[in-house]
Amino acid sequence: MNKEEVKLNFEPAGPVAITRCERYDAGEIEKVIKAQLESLGISPGFFENKRVVVKPNLIMSTSPERMATTHPAVVEAVLKVINAARPASVTVAESPGGPHQPPLLRAAYNASGIAAVANRCGAALSFDTSTATISLPDGKLSKTFEILAPAAEADVIVNVCKLKTHALTQMTAAAKNLFGLIPGTDKVAMHARFPHPADFSRYLVDLACAVASVCPMLCIVDAVVGMEGNGPTGGTPKPFGCIISGRNPFAVDTLCEYLLRLEGEVVTTADARLRGLCPGGIDGLRIVGDEPASVFRPEQVKHAETKPLNPLTHLPGFLRPKPVVELATCTGCGACAESCPAKAIAIENRKARISYKKCIRCFCCQEMCRFCAVKIHKNFLLRLVK
Ligand code: SF4
Ligand code: SF4
């Protein structure tokens, strides 16, 4: 990345804060975040008189108990910390999967519990479906991005993400959460444009850099309870017992991949390292907090069944894991077909049918199925070697 042409609003060696937090108690989390901002050197002036956009992870319209979305207690704590600094305005903005339409947005805000906390804290919920173009002249895979207009026009973005394993990118935390700034079905087009997970991940690095060039960003990771297994929606809740924050999304993600036991296996972080955007690994991170990060690292974390032997290899189609619809569970709702970039899904007799000739293995169908009817099947040869 040519730093003279693009000013990124974070330091590659910037600090990351991690603090114990085992309960979704908004008051307790507020204290944690306040202390973290102090140790990161972020003063109230960061928010004062600024138009602040808060970007949670609301991947789909679902309840907080599923642990697929940022917990409302974390969003409430973040809003209270921002409010105390007297911002000009605070807006919660997000584009979940599926069409970016006000009724669907309202459903996601309500189901996640975030409508209620925004209301309590006097923050606006964005139903603005307009977009604006941001650019990254030195982007490796993409140089322009159409993102939600409120985020493109913000003075500060607070990226309040959830720590989860992920079937396509292996992990979702700070960098991947910014993909939610791409409106609705435009996300589907990006999956079609970058069908290989490594290319898609490099595109995410470009996107995160473009967002970080618009305005300062603060990343806060809800890792009180995250998700393991076939995330981002089909896994199981996993307590990590901590909150993580920092200005540099890739440094934050370096700590997150360490906690998930995915070091060196997340292409967004590996690519950011190659571009000189973050330290080379956990040992190079400047970590601030009460306890060493190793205290929060679980003994075991289940990864997505799609995890490749090498994240950069292109396996032949017949060897790659594939999505399979469990017909007894499928309701025929069609959400998977709507989100399929390859148009590989047809609804026949109220059941989803996948054409494997067309399927690009992006696992968007698995991600978007609220009934967990899409399972991941691995070839028996892969089962033998893993
Ligand atoms: S697989 Fe899931 S998303 Fe697709 S039609 Fe069936 S229930 Fe709906
Ligand atoms: S069927 Fe599923 S995995 Fe295959 S291209 Fe469509 S959304 Fe992606």
Side-chain angles (χ1 to χ4, degrees):
M1 176 113 0
N2 184 339
K3 305 265 172 43
E4 284 175 10
E5 288 186 35
V6 182
K7 179 176 173 346
L8 300 181
N9 287 292
F10 64 78
E11 293 299 322
V16 179
I18 181 165
T19 313
R20 182 170 298 283
C21 186
E22 293 173 324
R23 292 187 306 138
Y24 281 117
D25 176 306
E28 193 181 310
I29 299 168
E30 187 183 344
K31 283 184 202 150
V32 166
I33 293 172
K34 267 187 192 158
Q36 289 193 337
L37 295 195
E38 216 174 297
S39 55
L40 293 168
I42 296 175
S43 69
F46 189 75
F47 302 113
E48 195 178 353
N49 289 325
K50 307 277 171 49
R51 290 166 302 168
V52 182
V53 163
V54 173
K55 158 67 177 85
N57 181 338
L58 299 184
I59 187 163
M60 60 161 57
S61 175
T62 190
S63 72
E65 288 72 35
R66 188 158 168 181
M67 297 300 164
T69 50
T70 308
H71 198 280
V74 177
V75 176
E76 180 165 7
V78 168
L79 293 176
K80 285 183 174 164
V81 170
I82 297 169
N83 280 345
R86 298 177 177 275
S89 64
V90 187
T91 304
V92 178
E94 164 68 317
S95 175
H100 189 55
Q101 294 167 353
L104 299 176
L105 273 172
R106 189 176 302 283
Y109 288 139
N110 284 340
S112 63
I114 284 173
V117 302
N119 190 29
R120 269 205 298 280
C121 298
L125 292 172
S126 175
F127 294 95
D128 184 348
T129 54
S130 62
T131 62
T133 307
I134 62 170
S135 60
L136 185 75
D138 289 332
K140 305 280 186 225
L141 273 88
S142 189
K143 297 182 194 310
T144 59
F145 308 83
E146 283 292 311
I147 69 166
L148 303 182
E153 290 154 12
D155 298 320
V156 174
I157 293 175
V158 185
N159 173 10
V160 196
C161 55
K162 187 89 171 168
L163 180 60
K164 297 182 284 183
T165 48
H166 195 284
L168 180 65
T169 54
Q170 300 310 313
M171 175 182 88
T172 172
K176 173 71 175 63
N177 192 41
L178 296 171
F179 190 50
L181 294 178
I182 304 289
T185 45
D186 286 8
K187 288 197 262 298
V188 176
M190 289 304 115
H191 282 292
R193 189 170 156 200
F194 303 112
H196 192 273
D199 292 336
F200 179 72
S201 297
R202 292 189 191 102
Y203 154 79
L204 292 178
V205 176
D206 286 337
L207 171 63
C209 289
V211 174
S213 71
V214 168
C215 67
M217 176 163 53
L218 169 65
C219 306
I220 298 176
V221 188
D222 168 6
V224 179
V225 182
M227 184 177 278
E228 66 176 355
N230 290 327
T233 57
T236 46
K238 173 80 174 176
F240 293 98
C242 58
I243 297 277
I244 301 164
S245 62
R247 294 276 311 272
N248 178 340
F250 306 113
V252 166
D253 280 0
T254 299
L255 181 50
C256 289
E257 70 172 23
Y258 169 79
L259 295 186
L260 288 182
R261 295 187 169 269
L262 278 170
E263 290 155 293
E265 307 204 51
V266 179
V267 177
T268 44
T269 324
D271 188 53
R273 250 171 236 150
L274 284 177
R275 300 190 200 191
L277 297 168
C278 63
I282 188 82
D283 292 338
L285 275 186
R286 195 147 58 88
I287 299 176
V288 294
D290 303 334
E291 293 171 278
S294 56
V295 169
F296 302 97
R297 194 183 201 200
E299 281 298 309
Q300 283 189 325
V301 180
K302 275 190 227 145
H303 297 149
E305 285 174 276
T306 53
K307 194 173 137 200
L309 298 173
N310 176 335
L312 298 174
T313 49
H314 288 244
L315 283 176
F318 75 96
L319 269 182
R320 293 167 67 190
K322 64 179 183 183
V324 172
V325 177
E326 194 174 72
L327 294 178
T329 314
C330 175
T331 64
C333 71
C336 54
E338 216 166 44
S339 304
C340 175
K343 303 203 183 318
I345 303 178
I347 306 295
E348 295 166 4
N349 299 323
R350 297 180 146 188
K351 300 291 171 192
R353 309 269 173 196
I354 296 175
S355 160
Y356 293 108
K357 278 190 189 155
K358 294 182 182 169
C359 174
I360 58 172
R361 270 59 164 182
C362 65
F363 299 101
C364 292
C365 49
Q366 185 250 354
E367 180 173 326
M368 292 314 300
C369 180
R370 70 184 60 255
F371 304 100
C372 294
V374 181
K375 306 297 179 193
I376 294 171
H377 278 216
K378 277 199 293 194
N379 179 285
F380 77 98
L381 284 174
L382 272 190
R383 286 185 192 279
L384 286 180
V385 290
K386 287 174 88 177

